[in-house]
Amino acid sequence: MRRSSSMLCAITAALLLLGCSPGGDRGGSGGTADTGTFDFAGNTPLGQLVPVDARQSAPAFAGELLDGTAFESTSLAGDITVVNFWGSWCAPCRVETPEFQAVYADVRDLGVRFLGVDVKDQRQLAQAFVDANGVGYPSLFDPRGEVALAFRGFPANVVPSTILLDRAGRVAAVYVAVVPEADLRRALDQLLAETAEDIPR
């Protein structure tokens, strides 16, 4: 047990040094089917989704946007949502963020929302990053990483990382890695193709 814990600590430290986690092939996230609230059990392969019947409800969370506006996750109800954890200090985010903005520009009128979560940052530096990259979607200012902690077991220190929510507010994917534009588009196309019959009442 002690040896396993040591190995886990070593892996976590390596991920922190890299600034992101490898995509890996651990199948799915969120534990077993129909167990209620999300509980992280592994990352989803890039471009793929958790099967519909194995998705769990995302937790409620709230905070303050970079512009000082109050935000509650209930405002996302009914839309597909891309929740992206980033920081102005994160080198991979400088590559990923412009690509996310390009996707956002193409899908924002199709019922897809984007929400950034700026972690372990300074507001002024975060705003400068958003302005420099022409980001049109809002970001929560979350210097203490409280939003990530709301997703039980989610590795809050791995940045960038991305969570996709389906129209029913269930976790449809967890990417603990940089998400290339093509993979994000593929996953969103799958979510957009899901019919009303896929959404629980």
Side-chain angles (χ1 to χ4, degrees), residues 34-109:
D34 301 322
T35 56
T37 305
F38 173 83
D39 193 357
F40 180 78
N43 54 292
T44 315
L46 290 173
Q48 297 184 33
L49 300 178
V50 175
V52 173
D53 60 0
R55 295 177 192 170
Q56 297 171 311
S57 298
F61 57 90
E64 184 178 282
L65 299 178
L66 279 175
D67 65 5
T69 304
F71 174 87
E72 292 190 6
S73 60
T74 53
S75 67
L76 303 172
D79 289 324
I80 294 165
T81 305
V82 178
V83 182
N84 176 243
F85 295 83
W86 64 277
S88 66
W89 45 267
C90 163
C93 298
R94 295 173 197 149
V95 175
E96 184 182 68
T97 299
E99 294 188 354
F100 272 45
Q101 171 58 32
V103 177
Y104 167 71
D106 290 340
V107 300
R108 61 186 173 186
D109 295 328

Side-chain angles (χ1 to χ4, degrees), residues 21-183:
S21 167
D25 59 358
R26 295 172 63 186
S29 58
T32 58
D34 301 322
T35 56
T37 305
F38 173 83
D39 193 357
F40 180 78
N43 54 292
T44 315
L46 290 173
Q48 297 184 33
L49 300 178
V50 175
V52 173
D53 60 0
R55 295 177 192 170
Q56 297 171 311
S57 298
F61 57 90
E64 184 178 282
L65 299 178
L66 279 175
D67 65 5
T69 304
F71 174 87
E72 292 190 6
S73 60
T74 53
S75 67
L76 303 172
D79 289 324
I80 294 165
T81 305
V82 178
V83 182
N84 176 243
F85 295 83
W86 64 277
S88 66
W89 45 267
C90 163
C93 298
R94 295 173 197 149
V95 175
E96 184 182 68
T97 299
E99 294 188 354
F100 272 45
Q101 171 58 32
V103 177
Y104 167 71
D106 290 340
V107 300
R108 61 186 173 186
D109 295 328
L110 302 177
V112 180
R113 306 269 295 276
F114 277 55
L115 177 68
V117 182
D118 175 43
V119 299
K120 298 183 176 151
D121 215 341
Q122 298 177 37
R123 193 186 294 264
Q124 185 176 4
L125 295 177
Q127 188 61 57
F129 180 91
V130 165
D131 293 343
N133 287 283
V135 179
Y137 52 87
S139 277
L140 282 167
F141 182 59
D142 187 29
R144 293 186 293 184
E146 293 175 349
V147 172
L149 291 176
F151 290 83
R152 292 184 306 178
F154 182 72
N157 288 325
V158 182
V159 177
S161 55
T162 300
I163 296 174
L164 301 187
L165 307 180
D166 66 17
R167 294 184 184 95
R170 300 170 303 176
V171 175
V174 179
Y175 304 127
V176 189
V178 172
V179 183
E181 181 177 343
D183 290 304

